[in-house]
Amino acid sequence: MESARIIATVARIVRDVGIAEELAQDALVSALEQWPRSGVPDSPGAWLTAAAKHRAVDLVRRRETYARKLAEVGRTLSEESYDPEPSGPGDIDDDVLRLVFTTCHPVLSADARAALTLRLVGGLRTDEIARAFLVPEATVAARITRAKRTLAKEGVEFEVPYGEERAARLGSVLEVVYLIFNEGYAATAGDDLLRPGLCEDALRLARSLAALMPAEGEAHGLSALLELQASRIPARTGPDGRPVLLADQNRSRWNRLLTRRGYAALARAGDGRSYGPYALQAAIAACHARAASYEETDWATIAALYGRLGALTPSPVVELNRAVAVSMTEGPAAALALVDALAAEPALARYHLLPSVRGDLLARLGRTEEARAEFERAAALTRNESERELLLGRAGEATGARAEESRRGAP
């Protein structure tokens, strides 16, 4: 939970994200050794940050190049206080934002930026990142290692850039913040559907970006999207932790404060005609938020927004989502034709939501046996245990519906 803040704080001192990660791990080892004897401190995060910072200063002082480093950061080191308590939430958030901009430096490939940021800022394990991108774990590990070496070799500054350089990195930064949130909102693997800590980190970063770049409509668009999506989190799981489908969610549990924040951020993203991809997705989320019920949702507008989004950033996933909206306006048969056209898309070959959506459409058409097979296929593809249970449950419902049909049709 504290790793991103600790690494970000230490990286500001040592100017090397790889070394910063090692020092953060050293601090965690020290905690494992000392806390059983001395007890857990009142502010564990502050203790860990202070321990890592002390190690960072010691490391800089031991280096043969200390004089050169002192010329660069010595004034900061000599004036900075290493009290156990952090300077304040704003300072920590700034460091994390610097870390994001550093890991999204253009000297790295897009894949390397995403992998390194998810590792250091999102706190995801290598195997989790590999599952998210559908690539071997060894590939992700190699990307992360090369990325750290490249940043050190190129002497990339640990800072939030300005002007054109900041604008050039913004797209990558927005993407990785979005990826961090998505992993928290619907975990790729594990027993739980949600990882709320990742959602909170992504929300904080998105808000900071919007404040840092007030003229960037997409920064506000991403902030609006995450606020609106996060507003549903309380209703996305039941008391037993099992997922609750959007159609079945108790909308009174949606967080109205986050909803209002989302509306306000969307208003700052510009007029509807100029929306970028994140603002368009936020506008879709706003349609859901304004509806009193699933049936009363403005599905026609949502379908049109997905059409605009697909024209702006063509994607089979966007087309799949549009098909769901079309099913609510033109019926499941029209939507099924759209979904079947996506069956050959390589990007969706192992995407569990494709057979899940197809199963739902088939069930609505009364083709229960085919629906059961699709739900079972979706369950086999997902790596999240909560989703697997939900999909298998829907397969069981389809089987039960088929049995009921047979009973009623019997002489």
Side-chain angles (χ1 to χ4, degrees):
M1 290 171 62
E2 299 290 340
S3 62
R5 296 176 181 84
I6 298 169
I7 293 170
T9 301
V10 174
R12 177 161 48 86
I13 299 171
V14 299
R15 309 284 171 157
D16 186 310
V17 293
I19 293 175
E21 187 179 23
E22 293 175 5
L23 293 172
Q25 291 171 352
D26 287 345
L28 293 170
V29 171
S30 294
L32 290 172
E33 293 172 345
Q34 297 183 37
W35 291 359
R37 299 192 303 268
S38 61
V40 178
D42 293 335
S43 183
W47 190 100
L48 291 166
T49 301
K53 288 165 74 175
H54 281 302
R55 283 167 172 73
V57 174
D58 289 342
L59 177 64
V60 171
R61 286 172 177 161
R62 286 198 307 269
R63 287 176 175 170
E64 292 181 356
T65 56
Y66 174 66
R68 179 175 60 82
K69 289 291 184 182
L70 185 62
E72 297 173 3
V73 298
R75 182 175 296 105
T76 301
L77 291 177
S78 62
E79 294 175 357
E80 186 171 2
S81 170
Y82 295 97
D83 295 330
E85 294 296 329
S87 305
D91 292 339
I92 290 178
D93 288 347
D94 286 345
D95 280 343
V96 174
L97 196 59
R98 289 188 186 98
L99 180 60
V100 174
F101 272 98
T102 300
T103 55
C104 289
H105 197 280
V107 298
L108 304 178
S109 68
D111 289 340
R113 294 174 204 164
L116 185 59
T117 309
L118 289 171
R119 175 72 184 88
L120 298 182
V121 180
L124 274 66
R125 301 191 310 272
T126 304
D127 61 315
E128 292 174 325
I129 300 171
R131 283 194 290 264
F133 287 96
L134 301 179
V135 297
E137 185 176 344
T139 300
V140 171
R143 286 176 185 171
I144 293 172
T145 299
R146 284 197 300 269
K148 291 177 184 177
R149 289 175 180 168
T150 300
L151 291 176
K153 180 181 178 182
E154 298 294 330
V156 172
E157 290 294 327
F158 182 73
E159 63 183 6
V160 176
Y162 294 91
E164 294 182 1
E165 188 178 357
R166 177 186 292 177
R169 294 193 213 176
L170 180 62
S172 292
V173 172
L174 293 176
E175 180 185 13
V176 295
V177 172
Y178 181 57
L179 287 171
I180 290 170
F181 181 87
N182 280 350
E183 181 60 30
Y185 192 73
T188 305
D191 295 331
D192 299 323
L193 177 69
L194 302 169
R195 299 178 65 175
L198 291 182
C199 292
E200 291 169 5
D201 286 343
L203 266 173
R204 184 175 59 251
L205 290 171
R207 291 166 183 165
S208 297
L209 281 168
L212 186 69
M213 309 181 77
E216 292 289 344
E218 275 293 77
H220 295 293
L222 178 64
S223 180
L225 174 60
L226 302 197
E227 300 280 5
L228 290 165
Q229 293 289 82
S231 72
R232 302 183 205 164
I233 287 177
R236 292 196 71 229
T237 54
D240 56 0
R242 293 183 179 180
V244 179
L245 296 173
L246 179 61
D248 301 324
Q249 288 177 15
N250 178 357
R251 298 191 174 211
S252 67
R253 297 188 64 203
W254 288 7
N255 188 318
R256 295 303 170 186
L257 173 60
L258 293 182
T259 299
R260 290 193 295 272
R261 291 180 67 104
Y263 294 154
L266 185 58
R268 292 190 290 268
D271 62 69
R273 295 185 299 275
S274 63
Y275 281 168
Y278 293 115
L280 283 171
Q281 291 177 75
I284 292 168
C287 285
H288 287 294
R290 294 189 181 102
S293 68
Y294 187 76
E295 292 73 21
E296 296 176 64
T297 304
D298 188 352
W299 292 106
T301 296
I302 290 177
L305 287 169
Y306 271 123
R308 288 177 57 189
L309 181 61
L312 198 59
T313 55
S315 162
V317 174
V318 171
E319 188 65 11
L320 180 63
N321 286 324
R322 187 175 77 85
V324 174
V326 168
S327 77
M328 301 300 292
T329 57
E330 301 178 28
L336 185 61
L338 297 175
V339 172
D340 286 345
L342 298 171
E345 286 285 347
L348 299 182
R350 298 199 54 80
Y351 188 56
H352 72 282
L353 291 182
L354 177 62
S356 174
V357 169
R358 194 168 188 275
D360 181 71
L361 296 174
L362 289 167
R364 289 165 60 186
L365 288 168
R367 295 161 60 178
T368 53
E369 188 61 28
E370 294 172 84
R372 179 194 61 77
E374 289 297 291
F375 286 133
E376 289 180 346
R377 187 160 74 91
L381 288 174
T382 186
R383 298 168 181 84
N384 184 279
E385 290 300 324
S386 293
E387 282 191 317
R388 181 177 289 112
E389 289 183 12
L390 174 67
L391 290 165
L392 290 175
R394 299 203 68 190
E397 291 171 6
T399 300
R402 176 63 175 171
E404 180 64 16
E405 289 174 6
S406 300
R407 186 185 65 78
R408 289 178 178 177

